[in-house]
Amino acid sequence: GGELDVVSVRSASASARFERGPSDTRGTLLDLSDRPNCCISVRGNEAVIGSTDHALYGIDIQKGRKSRTLYTKQAGHSEWVTCVTHLPDGRVLSGGMDSKLCLWNAAGAACSNLAGHDGSIAVVKALERCPVAVSAGYDKRIHVWDLSKHTSRALVSSLSGHAAPILCLSSSPASLLASGCRGGVACIWDLATGSVSRKFPGHGGHVTSVAWADESVVMTGAQDGKVRVWDV
């Protein structure tokens, strides 16, 4: 399943561009890899795409061409790249089936590894308050990272509460985190205390997407074909 996003277009210029449509309706085709691509993050003029060939590719959106490859023999993933996000300062954080988190510089192809997960990483998100990020996956735990610290000391906390692999995360402005797992359960976490404040076991299939409508309402989508709206 894909991600569930709540989108609000507030900018008049953004609305105008949307109404006009693309300047070139044919689009731009970039042949990045002969393997399937799994994930994407966009910040400013850069899109970063993660691939099953173990690499990530930076795209200069304005120029419509590849700007960098995030993979070397010394740095990067050794398995499929499953998730990626930009930090507000331009750095890139990626997760893979190799249970590695790679923290890439804002430019170039240098990275540091963040150790902590024991299984494939399914999702990574940067929080609005820089430079904190969260990651989760098949070890059923959520890791909270302070990326202002050295990578050896970046792991702030490890949150346990799901009985099945975690597939999706979404943060609210009120220091709450929503998560969904393969067991059909969504959880609400208080990041200030590291505790589960609510559990929502209403779905009949994997919870594949979560999104906040506002600070007190969260939405979940699942493989049972339903979207549920919850008061937190």
Side-chain angles (χ1 to χ4, degrees), residues 187-210:
C187 291
I188 306 299
W189 305 81
D190 184 343
L191 289 177
T193 63
S195 61
V196 177
S197 59
R198 297 287 301 275
K199 279 194 175 185
F200 300 119
H203 282 290
H206 303 349
V207 178
T208 54
S209 53
V210 290

Side-chain angles (χ1 to χ4, degrees), residues 33-39 49-57 77-82 97:
S33 173
D34 59 356
R35 301 287 188 90
N37 298 317
C38 291
C39 51
I49 297 167
S51 174
T52 58
D53 67 5
H54 310 171
L56 298 103
Y57 301 96
H77 291 282
S78 58
E79 270 291 351
W80 292 12
V81 181
T82 52
M97 290 181 65

Side-chain angles (χ1 to χ4, degrees), residues 138-158:
Y138 280 69
D139 58 6
K140 308 171 190 175
R141 297 197 306 270
I142 299 170
H143 285 346
V144 182
W145 308 89
D146 181 350
L147 299 177
S148 67
K149 299 179 179 179
H150 188 274
T151 52
S152 63
R153 297 180 285 106
L155 182 59
V156 175
S157 58
S158 182

